Amino acid sequence: MSRRAARRKRRARKALRQPAPVPPAARPLDDLSRALRTALFVSLGLLLLTPFVVTAGTVFPFVVGKALWSRALIEIAFALWALLALRDPAYRPPHAWLLALAAAGLGVSALSAALGASAQYSLWTSYERMQGVVDQAHWVALAFVLASAVRGAGAWRVLLGAHAAAGTAVAFIVIAGAVGIEVPFYGGLPGQDGARAGGPFGNPTWLSVFMLANLGLCAAFCARARALASGPATVGWASLALLHLSGLVLAGSVGGFAGLLGAAAFAAFAFAWLARGRRRRVAVALLVLLAAGTATLGARFVDGEARGILPIDGPAAQWPGAAALRYVGRVDLQRPSVQSRLAAWEAGLEGFADRPLLGWGPGNFQAVFGLFGSGYAAASTPHDQAHGKLVEVAATTGLAGIAVWLLTWGLALAVPVLAARTLSGPDRAFAVFAAAALAGNLVQLQFLFDTPAGNLFATFLLAFAARLESRALPPAWRACLPARAKAPISRALRVLRRRGAAAALAAAAVTLALWGLAVNRAILAAADSRHVGSVAVPTFATAEGIEAFPPLAGTYRMFLFLELTRNWAAVRAADPAAASRLLAWADREADAAVASEPWNWRIEQTLAHLYRAVADTEPAYEARARRHLERTRLLAPAREPFPAPLQPPGDLLAMPATAGPGNAAAGAIELRWSPSPGAGYHQLARSTEPGRWTTLLYTYDAERQRFFASDCDGCRHRIRACRTRLDCSDWALWP
C-alpha cells in the first residue's frame, strides 16, 4: 500500500470515529406547521393498527382491508409531510443512500413492469395479494416520510415502542384464543380453529412474521434497559419478548423459527465484532453454538426419510401449542410443502436465466412457474409467488432488481451496526438488536413473500437506518452528490422559492393523495364478497365487481369461468336463453382476461375447461376450446391440462428383506409397489396402534418402487398417490 493510500485510510478511520455534526436546530413551528406535524403523527399512529384490520365483508378479508388501510394512511401522511416540508426545510428528506436505493428499486420495478409479461398485473396484482408496483410505491413514500419527519433517537424509540405495543396486543389475542378465551370479533373469523394460530392475520405464517419482528424490537428495548441498569424495565421488556415468543410458537411457522435463528446469529456476529474482552468471547461462543445447532438440525432436515428435525413427544406433547410445535418439528426435506418451494425456486431460477436483465415483471411469477415448472412443479399446486424473496426478485425484476434489493437491505443491516461504534452503550445495544430483528425478518422472507404487516416493519427499520447513515458512513461515503448531479437539484430548489411554485407542488401532493384515496374506495367497493356470493352460477353481481375496478377484475373473471364450467350442463338444460347470455358474457370477459394477462397459463387452462364443457352442447365451441388448450400447453408445457383421476399404487408386495449393501438390516421387511401414473409423489405410512398412522416416506421419484421398513408385531403399512395434499388417491393397504 502506498503512503498516500495509507494516509487516506487513516483519515477515513478518523472521520468514522468522529460523531456526526449536529444539525442546526429547526426554527420554531408556527400554528399551521404544528397542526400539520400533529396530524402527520396521528396518521402514523393509526398506521400501526394495520395488523388489526379485518374486512369480513370483502373477498380475502385478511388481505384487502390491511392493504387499503395502510395505503390510505400512507397517502394522508405523505400529503401532510409534503405540506410540512415545503413550509419548514428541516423536514425535508435527509441525504441518505438508503432512500436513494429505495427509489431506485421502485424505478427498476416500474421499468420491469412496462416490459414484462403483464404490465397491468405488475401494477396491481390481485385481491389475494394486493402487491405490485402501486403497493411498492406506497412503502417507498412511507420510508421518505419517516426518515424526514421522525427526528431524534427519542422519537424513534417512541415509534418502534408503539409498534411493539401493537404486537403485544396481537399476542394477547392469539394466546387468549389458544387457551379458549373468547376474543370479541376475532373469535368468529375463518382460519381460527386449526392447530396453528392465525389471529387477525388468518394465515399462521403471516402472524409469525409479525411476532418475530416485535420479538426483535422487545429484545432491543430489553438490551437498552439492561445497559441503563434499569431492572424493572429490563424485566418488563423481557416478559414482552417471551409473550411474542409464545405467539411465534402458536403460529407454528418453520420460516419464523429460521428467522429467529438468523436474528440471533446476526446479533451474535455483530457483538463479536463490536465488543471486547469477555463480551466478545461470549458472543463468539454463542455464534459457534448456533452454528452447531443449525448444522445438527440441517442434517436431520435433509435426511432421506420422513423423520422430522425434532420430534415433539412425551410431556412436551401436552404443552399449549404442542400441535403447532409438532408441525414444525416434523419438517424435513421430503415434506410436500418443502418440495413445492424447491420446485418453485428451480422454476424461478430458470425464468431468471431466460430474462436476466429485467425479468418477467413484478408479480408475474405465475407465468414463470408455468413456463419453467417441471417435475413435482408440474403436478403441485400452482405458485403465483416464489415463496422465497431473492428468487422472486430475480425472476421478476432480473439482475437490476436483485442488485438494488441486495444493496438496499445489505446497507440497511450494516448501517446500524456501523453506527453502533459511535453510539453510547444503551443506544449501541438498541441499534444492534433492531438490525438483528430486521435480519430475522429478511431470513423469514426467503421462505415467504411480502405482506402489509411485514412491509410496515421493514419500512420502519429502513427509515431508522437511513437516519443513522450520517453516523455510520465516513464523509467520503455519505450521500453527497457530485457537482454535476447537484446542479439540476439546485435549480429545482430555486424554482421552489419562486412565488406560487411551492403552492403548486403542495397542491399536486394533496391531489395525488386524494386520487389515491378515491382509488382505495373504489377497490374496497369492488372487493365486496357479494360479488362472489353463495349462488354457484355467477350473476350480475359478479359483473358489478368486474366493472367496479377493472384492473383487479381477474379474481371475478376466474370465478365466472370456473363456476360456469361446473354448472354449464345444468344451466343449459334448465334455461337455454339464460345459458346463452351467460356464455356471451363469458366470451367477452375471456377476451379481456387474455388481453390483460397474455402469459397467464391458468386463465388459458380454465378457458380450455370451460369451452370443452360448452362444446358438449355447442359444437361450434370445439375450435375455441382447442385454441385455449394449445395455448395452455405452450405456456405450461410440463403440466397436463386435463389430468385423469389418480389411482392407488398397485402390485403391493411385502417380503422379508435380505441383509446386504443398500438394504436394511436383517429382520426388516421390504415393501414394493407400482407407481400411479400422473402422481407428483407417493406417501407411505405405518400404523402401530389402531387409528394412528405415521408417515415414513414421501417419494417424488417415480422410479423408486421399494422401501425397507423395520419389522414389528402388528404393524400395518399403506400407500397413496398424490398431486397435492388435497388431491390424492385412496389408500392402498399392504396385505
Side-chain angles (χ1 to χ4, degrees):
M1 182 183 296
S2 65
R3 292 182 179 180
R4 182 177 298 177
R7 284 196 299 270
R8 283 201 303 266
K9 189 173 182 179
R10 286 195 296 271
R11 284 198 298 268
R13 287 177 177 174
K14 183 178 179 180
L16 190 61
R17 288 194 296 269
Q18 293 176 349
V22 179
R27 65 184 182 186
L29 296 176
D30 57 26
D31 291 341
L32 178 56
S33 297
R34 191 176 297 109
L36 289 172
R37 188 180 65 175
T38 301
L40 170 60
F41 280 97
V42 168
S43 64
L44 293 177
L46 292 174
L47 184 62
L48 291 170
L49 299 179
T50 298
F52 302 95
V53 178
V54 180
T55 49
T58 67
V59 294
F60 305 105
F62 296 103
V63 178
V64 172
K66 288 180 176 61
L68 294 181
W69 175 269
S70 58
R71 288 181 189 179
L73 286 166
I74 290 171
E75 289 155 5
I76 293 170
F78 183 80
L80 293 169
W81 164 71
L83 294 174
L84 181 61
L86 287 171
R87 293 182 60 83
D88 189 343
Y91 287 92
R92 291 174 185 169
H95 290 281
W97 282 112
L98 281 169
L99 296 181
L101 287 170
L106 178 61
V108 169
S109 294
L111 181 59
S112 176
L115 303 175
S118 170
Q120 177 178 291
Y121 197 85
S122 290
L123 285 174
W124 301 97
T125 67
S126 65
Y127 289 116
E128 185 179 7
R129 301 303 180 200
M130 295 294 289
Q131 297 173 7
V133 178
V134 170
D135 192 63
Q136 183 182 354
H138 283 78
W139 297 113
V140 171
L142 178 63
F144 274 83
V145 172
L146 290 170
S148 306
V150 185
R151 306 164 69 233
W156 273 107
R157 287 196 297 272
V158 169
L159 188 64
L160 295 177
H163 193 290
T168 301
V170 172
F172 275 120
I173 291 173
V174 171
I175 294 172
V179 299
I181 299 176
E182 181 69 22
V183 181
F185 183 71
Y186 294 105
L189 293 174
Q192 306 298 311
D193 300 327
R196 301 164 61 201
F201 294 91
N203 189 323
T205 310
W206 300 346
L207 170 64
S208 174
V209 170
F210 195 61
M211 290 293 98
L212 177 62
N214 286 288
L215 171 59
L217 289 180
C218 289
F221 280 104
C222 180
R224 185 177 189 277
R226 187 177 183 279
L228 290 171
S230 175
T234 303
V235 172
W237 283 112
S239 301
L240 292 183
L242 289 175
L243 189 73
H244 286 92
L245 180 60
S246 300
L248 186 68
V249 168
L250 291 171
S253 169
V254 178
F257 285 97
L260 184 60
L261 281 174
F266 183 91
F269 177 82
F271 281 113
W273 181 61
L274 290 169
R276 296 290 184 272
R278 185 175 63 86
R279 292 183 177 181
R280 169 174 284 185
R281 291 193 294 272
V282 170
V284 171
L286 178 59
L287 198 59
V288 171
L289 184 63
L290 288 171
T294 303
T296 301
L297 294 177
R300 295 183 63 86
F301 173 77
V302 299
D303 194 337
E305 298 177 5
R307 296 193 178 98
I309 58 172
L310 193 64
I312 306 296
D313 297 315
Q318 307 302 319
W319 296 349
L325 278 176
R326 189 177 295 113
Y327 174 86
V328 174
R330 287 178 178 172
V331 69
D332 58 73
L333 186 61
Q334 303 304 313
R335 181 183 282 187
S337 60
V338 174
Q339 287 292 319
S340 69
R341 278 173 168 77
L342 295 176
W345 296 351
E346 182 180 357
L349 293 176
E350 291 186 21
F352 166 66
D354 189 74
R355 289 193 181 187
L357 296 181
L358 288 170
W360 292 79
N364 284 311
F365 188 81
Q366 57 193 342
V368 175
F369 190 78
L371 275 169
F372 302 101
S374 59
Y376 181 48
S380 65
T381 301
H383 282 270
D384 65 344
Q385 302 281 334
H387 286 75
K389 188 61 180 180
L390 280 172
V391 176
E392 175 86 22
V393 172
T396 57
T397 57
L399 284 170
I402 200 70
V404 174
W405 194 91
L406 288 173
L407 284 171
T408 302
W409 296 108
L411 186 60
L413 290 174
V415 160
V417 178
L418 293 173
R421 294 179 297 178
T422 66
L423 297 172
S424 62
D427 290 335
R428 171 184 296 187
F430 184 85
V432 170
F433 274 98
L438 178 60
N441 179 266
L442 294 174
V443 169
Q444 184 171 10
L445 203 57
Q446 304 316 310
F447 309 97
L448 192 58
F449 46 83
D450 290 326
T451 63
N455 284 337
L456 179 63
F457 169 76
T459 304
F460 273 36
L461 267 293
L462 180 72
F464 175 67
R467 291 298 303 190
L468 289 175
E469 268 196 35
S470 60
R471 288 183 171 272
L473 304 181
W477 294 0
R478 290 174 190 161
C480 299
L481 300 175
R484 290 184 180 179
K486 282 184 176 180
I489 297 177
S490 300
R491 286 195 295 269
L493 291 176
R494 285 197 297 270
V495 169
L496 286 178
R497 297 190 189 102
R498 296 177 183 174
R499 182 176 299 177
L505 191 59
V510 173
T511 301
L512 183 63
L514 292 175
W515 176 81
L517 292 172
V519 170
N520 293 334
R521 182 178 180 182
I523 294 174
L524 182 62
D528 197 311
S529 58
R530 68 183 179 84
H531 297 141
V532 287
S534 58
V535 179
V537 180
T539 64
F540 187 68
T542 303
E544 290 178 347
I546 293 173
E547 295 169 359
F549 197 76
L552 285 169
T555 298
Y556 298 130
R557 286 174 177 144
M558 290 293 284
F559 172 76
L560 165 64
F561 304 150
L562 290 169
E563 295 304 323
L564 191 55
T565 302
R566 294 189 183 106
N567 296 279
W568 171 255
V571 173
R572 181 71 168 72
D575 190 343
S580 296
R581 290 194 297 271
L582 283 172
L583 184 57
W585 173 28
D587 290 343
R588 294 192 298 271
E589 298 302 339
D591 294 338
V594 171
S596 63
E597 298 181 56
W599 291 84
N600 190 333
W601 64 271
R602 299 178 71 179
I603 292 176
E604 299 286 354
Q605 179 175 290
T606 304
L607 291 173
H609 281 258
L610 170 62
Y611 289 123
R612 174 170 287 192
V614 171
D616 291 338
T617 57
E618 304 285 345
Y621 277 87
E622 182 64 39
R624 191 158 187 169
R626 188 163 49 251
R627 184 168 69 250
H628 286 293
L629 179 60
E630 291 171 356
R631 184 69 177 161
T632 301
R633 287 178 171 152
L634 180 65
L635 296 179
R639 185 175 289 266
E640 173 53 49
F642 292 93
L646 283 174
Q647 299 299 320
D651 301 327
L652 270 59
L653 184 64
M655 63 185 68
T658 303
N663 292 356
I669 58 173
E670 180 181 352
L671 303 174
R672 295 197 175 202
W673 64 89
S674 295
S676 177
Y681 64 91
H682 292 80
Q683 180 182 2
L684 191 152
R686 162 187 278 179
S687 174
T688 56
E689 57 184 84
R692 183 173 181 178
W693 294 86
T694 302
T695 297
L696 297 178
L697 175 72
Y698 294 104
T699 174
Y700 301 85
D701 184 0
E703 296 182 359
R704 180 166 186 177
Q705 302 181 29
R706 65 176 182 170
F707 176 77
F708 295 101
S710 58
D711 197 7
C712 60
D713 293 335
C715 287
R716 303 180 67 199
H717 296 89
R718 64 181 185 179
I719 189 170
R720 66 176 179 176
C722 296
R723 291 192 184 94
T724 67
R725 184 176 60 88
L726 301 177
D727 183 10
C728 295
S729 71
D730 295 331
W731 289 98
L733 290 169
W734 266 277

